[in-house]
Amino acid sequence: MINRRNFTQSVPVGIAGLLLAQWGIDANAATEQVRIAYPIDVPSWDPSKSAAPNPTALFKCVFDQPLEYTPDSKLQPGVVKHYEWLDKEGLVLQVDLRDDVFFHNGDKLTSEDFKFTFFDRLRAEKGLQLSFIWGGITAIETPSPTRAIIRFGKPMVTAPQFLGYSAAFILPKAYFEKVGLDGFLAKPIGSGPYKLVDYQRDSSITLEAFDRYWRGPAKIRKIVFQVVKDPTTRVSAVQSGQVQLAAALPMREALRLGQSPGLANSLTPTVDTYLVQMVNSGPLVDRNVRLAMHHAIDKQALSKAFFNSIAAPLSTAAAPGTPAYAPDYAFAFDPARSQALLKESGYGPGKPVQFRFFATNGIYPNDFEMARALVQMWKKVGIDAALEVIEPAQYYTKVQAGKLEGPTLWFWTNATGDPELSAGYYLDPKKSFSVWRSPDVSTQLDPLLVELNLEKRIEGYKKFHVWAVEQGYSLPLVQGVSTVAYAKAEAGYKPFRNGWILPYYWSA
């Protein structure tokens, strides 16, 4: 493995010193835990406040979710060991909880904690993003400590999928009510595999294994997430041995690191999608412009250039391996068609389409580099996009306020693989996650939101995906790829097809 001397030779001394000092690392000391270079921090230690999927893996280290997803993204029991619909409309869901789950302070997890998390607190506190998902609950009954019956005011047929997804983390009712929100944020506890023992905002998250975890104690006793937003620094950190794992690396660097002594890489196609989120304003109100943008994109070239051809090009919102994937439908790469569509709408060499275009930078593998490639592809057909960087927090704020100023290259994470939680969310004008908003979407989508028959629902989404693409309401590009490099002897990494970084499942 490359040592500290190699590291300080490959990174300027001043930068290396600042990096190590910021992380509190003594480069001469032996590593007694696994350190992870990670691109983001939690928005806060209230997992109900933000429904953004990006920090889900961090929260899952400390908090439990009712249901879980396997490494191949199959829904499985968790704290909830069994669930069933008690009706045929998707209005009454019964969940049965394990009776051997404890919070980090020793309190036993019961149905009262479930009710507090998904009903009581949402009624008491306004503005929690968890309420955007679960606000349709009219009551939760708790006939026993291990049983809860959820009643919905309108059908929520994907409730089980959401119980294993973003923001669905069970909170300790008694502890939360005792210490209040401020006390909880200062010392959060859950029932997850790790306890939070130290937290430095935008710097580090230190976790220790919880010995009473219901699945058994974690094999790796201590985990330190280092918040390292710059991808080049993440590469240097794992290459030097200052961390044992680095996530969300540029593909080229992940490939190179995999050939380094003592290191391995994991390049995992995921159920997530890169797409261009369209806005219903400016020149994009013109369907011809939207379709011209799409026909100008060479997705095979994107996959080859940025993902070593591992990421499958996408014509609809569903990635390979997910229920609504439609391999028989293809949206053509056709620059000549792009130019013809633009000409129909009065655009040409002397009058290019102009708009602002946004992308994250270094949050996801090759995000900004891919955005620059899109700009060049569009320029060839007469579309002039001015590229700007946007932070995830800015993006979510602007989307919820309906003030996103232009189309955005976005990485939509959907750990469930269920189509409602991707296009069914970012295209539904009634939901806060929606970017493109027009009433005709509801006409197509609303019947699928109440369809309890899984086969009918999935077939309906396949048709909805094709319709949405042919309207130009979003531009699917390629599936996601999780790019990780790690020390083989220390991290024992286990990939998940939803891209989650979950140390509990790694071998020591």
Side-chain angles (χ1 to χ4, degrees):
M1 181 178 292
I2 298 173
N3 58 27
R4 181 178 181 276
R5 180 179 179 182
N6 300 133
F7 174 61
T8 53
Q9 287 175 345
S10 62
V11 180
V13 173
I15 295 176
L18 288 173
L19 177 65
L20 300 178
Q22 175 187 350
W23 290 351
I25 296 174
D26 178 359
N28 297 314
T31 301
E32 297 180 354
Q33 68 277 311
V34 169
R35 291 181 179 268
I36 301 166
Y38 204 66
I40 62 170
D41 195 358
V42 295
S44 84
W45 280 105
D46 180 357
S48 301
K49 184 174 180 60
S50 173
N54 311 69
T56 297
L58 296 174
F59 285 135
K60 283 181 73 67
C61 291
V62 177
F63 305 96
D64 266 322
Q65 298 188 283
L67 295 172
E68 302 284 344
Y69 282 91
T70 64
D72 59 351
S73 287
K74 304 298 182 185
L75 192 63
Q76 68 172 355
V79 171
V80 168
K81 62 181 182 180
H82 174 76
Y83 68 88
E84 63 178 302
W85 290 103
L86 301 183
D87 69 336
K88 296 181 179 181
E89 290 77 37
L91 293 169
V92 186
L93 181 66
Q94 177 178 294
V95 298
D96 293 314
L97 288 75
R98 299 177 62 95
D99 64 357
D100 59 350
V101 180
F102 293 88
F103 291 107
H104 299 156
N105 66 347
D107 291 349
K108 197 169 189 177
L109 186 152
T110 72
S111 58
E112 288 299 324
D113 300 296
F114 185 94
K115 179 174 180 286
F116 171 75
T117 301
F118 294 100
F119 186 70
D120 296 340
R121 190 177 175 219
L122 303 188
R123 291 297 182 94
E125 295 183 36
K126 304 301 180 184
L128 295 172
Q129 288 191 9
L130 188 64
S131 64
F132 291 126
I133 299 173
W134 298 100
I137 296 176
T138 59
I140 295 182
E141 301 164 9
T142 55
S144 79
T146 58
R147 175 165 291 180
I149 298 173
I150 311 169
R151 298 189 181 275
F152 299 94
K154 59 181 180 180
M156 187 176 178
V157 299
T158 51
Q161 285 79 6
F162 271 110
L163 287 175
Y165 193 41
S166 180
F169 295 96
I170 303 175
L171 301 181
K173 179 179 187 291
Y175 175 77
F176 194 100
E177 292 179 338
K178 177 182 178 180
V179 303
L181 176 59
D182 290 342
F184 184 84
L185 294 176
K187 190 176 180 180
I189 68 168
S191 61
Y194 287 95
K195 299 182 293 184
L196 179 68
V197 295
D198 186 68
Y199 175 59
Q200 304 297 324
R201 164 66 60 186
D202 286 329
S203 179
S204 65
I205 300 168
T206 303
L207 309 171
E208 289 184 355
F210 177 39
D211 288 334
R212 296 187 71 184
Y213 185 55
W214 58 273
R215 278 199 175 104
K219 297 181 181 67
I220 300 175
R221 302 297 297 172
K222 182 177 286 188
I223 298 290
V224 181
F225 283 94
Q226 305 290 355
V227 181
V228 185
K229 295 183 179 180
D230 177 60
T232 302
T233 306
R234 293 198 296 275
V235 169
S236 297
V238 72
Q239 179 173 299
S240 69
Q242 304 308 314
V243 300
Q244 287 70 55
L245 185 142
L249 302 178
M251 175 63 71
R252 183 177 300 174
E253 295 293 347
L255 288 167
R256 179 181 65 82
L257 289 170
Q259 303 302 314
S260 300
L263 295 180
N265 62 26
S266 177
L267 311 175
T268 309
T270 71
V271 296
D272 307 314
T273 56
Y274 285 92
L275 71 156
V276 176
Q277 297 274 46
M278 305 293 271
V279 294
N280 196 357
S281 62
L284 301 187
V285 300
D286 186 335
R287 180 171 177 263
N288 283 347
V289 172
R290 301 194 300 271
L291 295 181
M293 290 172 63
H294 201 172
H295 281 299
I297 299 172
D298 186 346
K299 300 174 188 179
Q300 293 282 0
L302 294 178
S303 178
K304 182 178 180 180
F306 301 115
F307 301 104
N308 203 39
S309 297
I310 294 173
L314 301 178
S315 288
T316 71
T322 63
Y325 178 58
D328 296 332
Y329 175 78
F331 191 93
F333 166 53
D334 189 346
R337 179 61 178 154
S338 292
Q339 293 172 319
L341 287 165
L342 292 174
K343 185 176 181 181
E344 284 181 24
S345 293
Y347 296 101
K351 185 186 176 184
V353 177
Q354 295 181 322
F355 52 77
R356 297 167 71 185
F357 177 48
F358 299 92
T360 54
N361 187 0
I363 303 299
Y364 307 106
N366 299 99
D367 46 6
F368 197 69
E369 293 79 5
M370 184 158 47
R372 287 190 296 194
L374 291 173
V375 169
Q376 293 305 311
M377 291 176 183
W378 289 332
K379 194 174 187 65
K380 291 178 181 179
V381 300
I383 298 171
D384 186 6
L387 180 58
E388 302 177 34
V389 174
I390 190 168
E391 293 292 329
Q394 289 178 294
Y395 171 84
Y396 286 117
T397 298
K398 288 178 179 291
V399 166
Q400 289 166 19
K403 295 183 178 179
L404 192 62
E405 298 96 337
T408 304
L409 174 64
W410 192 246
F411 184 69
W412 185 268
T413 61
N414 176 14
T416 73
D418 191 277
E420 182 182 321
L421 281 70
S422 55
Y425 248 61
Y426 61 70
L427 288 177
D428 187 346
K430 304 185 189 72
K431 291 186 171 67
S432 63
F433 293 99
S434 176
V435 180
W436 177 272
R437 294 174 182 173
S438 59
D440 58 337
V441 173
S442 295
T443 303
Q444 301 285 330
L445 182 60
D446 284 357
L448 301 177
L449 301 178
V450 297
E451 179 56 71
L452 198 58
N453 182 289
L454 180 61
E455 185 176 343
K456 290 182 179 179
R457 188 166 67 86
I458 295 303
E459 286 303 312
Y461 268 105
K462 289 180 180 180
K463 295 176 182 178
F464 171 71
H465 287 168
V466 171
W467 173 83
V469 164
E470 293 183 347
Q471 299 303 313
Y473 289 166
S474 67
L475 314 184
L477 300 175
V478 296
Q479 76 178 126
V481 177
S482 171
T483 53
V484 167
Y486 61 97
K488 289 185 287 188
E490 298 171 85
Y493 176 68
K494 173 74 173 179
F496 275 63
R497 285 204 65 230
N498 54 31
W500 284 343
I501 303 295
L502 299 178
Y504 176 77
Y505 296 91
W506 306 350
S507 59

